[in-house]
């Protein structure tokens, strides 16, 4: 996953062309042609803190750090255990509970608004790089008809600016990553609920032609991308969209879910006005949903991966989910 700055320290090596690539699910380290890296120096300079390490993307970040023999600090609100990880108990909503030894790289997959509030507490003299996750919703939901969504998006956009400003004031390099539709089969809150709905009813209602473009991205690819961004000089003080490896219509994305479940594709096209009327009746079954989720099936939500490909080798998988 979301390859970070102090992982292989290819930041100082212009000859290495492998940073940001996947090698059997791990990160290959370059020593810049200088032979082996001193273990003590690597430990002091390469310590990472992962906030959100028990979540989808954060969990993969921890996994990939362990694969390259890092022992990360990981923040959790509840007691945790596991080999190779130094767990710290605290709450990002309560910055006064956050106390860590020095670390050089900060990865945050938790709410960027909370990170912005807590960042002054997390800054230390050893910190060189912050990689924080936001969302492409900052761009796609600015004009949403749902007032609560507009308020959330405004807070997120403000948080991005605050994170960047705080880091630059303290001379800490930052990178903000905006994923598209995140999934991890059986665990996410985007694709997996749709798969359960399809499995239960055997069909899926779609608004109109559901032709809006989507780029679902796997959580592990985001983790790999985060580690790569942290290792890249070119990614310093920039914001990137991180779409998945394919651009699909919403209808085709749903079709791929049917395929993964080994079910025939059965969709029903519903006019927008009928969707709105029916949603009132269906709302009790889907308390976290809102009417705009249906109307957005016709809206393109596709982003250019070019800058991320150029700067840190972004290379996500195609959308071919696998469900048990």
């Amino acid at each position: 996953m979301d390859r970070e700055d102090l992982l292989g320290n290819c930041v100082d090596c212009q000859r290495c062309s492998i940073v940001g690539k996947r090698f059997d699910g791990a990160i290959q380290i370059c020593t810049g042609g200088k032979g082996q890296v001193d273990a003590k120096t690597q430990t002091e300079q390469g310590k990472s803190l992962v906030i959100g390490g028990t979540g989808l993307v954060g969990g993969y970040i921890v996994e990939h750090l362990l694969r390259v023999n890092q022992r990360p600090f990981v923040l959790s609100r509840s007691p945790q255990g596991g080999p190779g990880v130094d767990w710290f108990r605290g709450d990002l909503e309560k910055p006064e509970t956050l106390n860590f030894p020095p670390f050089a790289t900060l990865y945050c997959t938790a709410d960027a608004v909370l990170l912005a509030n807590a960042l002054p507490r997390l800054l230390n003299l050893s910190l060189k790089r912050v990689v924080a996750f936001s969302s492409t919703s900052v761009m796609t939901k600015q004009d949403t008809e749902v007032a609560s969504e507009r308020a959330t998006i405004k807070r997120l956009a403000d948080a991005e600016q605050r994170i960047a400003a705080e880091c630059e004031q303290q001379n800490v390099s930052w990178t903000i990553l905006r994923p598209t539709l995140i999934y991890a089969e059986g665990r996410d809150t985007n694709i997996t609920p749709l798969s359960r709905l399809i499995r239960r009813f055997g069909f899926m209602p779609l608004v109109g032609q559901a032709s809006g473009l989507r780029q679902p991205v796997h959580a592990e690819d985001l983790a790999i991308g985060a580690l790569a961004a942290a290792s890249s000089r070119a990614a310093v003080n920039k914001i990137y969209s991180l779409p998945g490896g394919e651009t699909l219509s919403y209808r085709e994305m749903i079709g791929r879910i049917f395929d993964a479940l080994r079910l025939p594709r059965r969709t029903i096209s519903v006019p927008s006005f009928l969707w709105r009327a029916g949603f009132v009746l269906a709302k009790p079954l889907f308390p976290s949903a809102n009417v705009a989720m249906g109307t957005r099936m016709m809206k393109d939500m596709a982003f250019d991966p070019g800058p991320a490909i150029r700067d840190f080798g972004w290379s996500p998988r195609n959308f071919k989910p696998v469900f048990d």
Side-chain angles (χ1 to χ4, degrees), residues 120-227:
R121 176 79 177 188
L122 295 167
L123 294 171
N124 67 82
L125 294 177
S126 297
L127 183 60
K128 303 299 181 185
R129 194 64 171 265
V130 171
V131 177
F133 277 81
S134 180
S135 171
T136 50
S137 294
V138 168
M139 294 173 280
T140 60
K141 295 183 181 179
Q142 290 179 342
D143 58 350
T144 176
E145 62 189 271
V146 181
S148 60
E149 283 189 336
R150 290 197 303 273
T152 297
I153 293 308
K154 184 180 186 307
R155 288 194 296 270
L156 187 57
D158 290 344
E160 289 183 349
Q161 296 179 10
R162 291 164 55 203
I163 290 168
E166 185 70 30
C167 286
E168 290 180 17
Q169 184 177 355
Q170 301 299 324
N171 199 29
V172 174
S173 299
W174 58 270
T175 304
I176 292 175
L177 305 177
R178 293 172 172 170
T180 52
L181 196 68
I182 303 174
Y183 74 99
E185 296 92 330
R187 302 167 56 201
D188 65 272
T189 58
N190 295 311
I191 298 301
T192 295
L194 292 174
S195 73
R196 291 171 180 158
L197 187 66
I198 291 169
R199 194 190 298 270
R200 179 179 179 184
F201 295 105
F203 72 95
M204 179 70 186
L206 300 175
V207 176
Q209 294 302 309
S211 57
L213 299 180
R214 296 294 184 274
Q215 298 164 310
V217 59
H218 198 280
E220 183 174 22
D221 292 333
L222 292 171
I224 293 170
L227 298 175

Side-chain angles (χ1 to χ4, degrees), residues 194 197 204-214 248-254 267-270 272 275 279 290-301:
L194 292 174
L197 187 66
M204 179 70 186
L206 300 175
V207 176
Q209 294 302 309
S211 57
L213 299 180
R214 296 294 184 274
L248 312 166
S249 68
Y250 192 95
R251 178 178 292 275
E252 176 60 21
M253 182 183 76
I254 293 298
T267 59
I268 299 175
S269 294
V270 179
S272 181
W275 167 271
F279 184 82
N290 61 62
V291 68
M293 292 180 178
T295 56
R296 278 197 291 264
M297 293 181 191
M298 298 179 289
K299 179 179 179 179
D300 288 346
M301 296 185 180

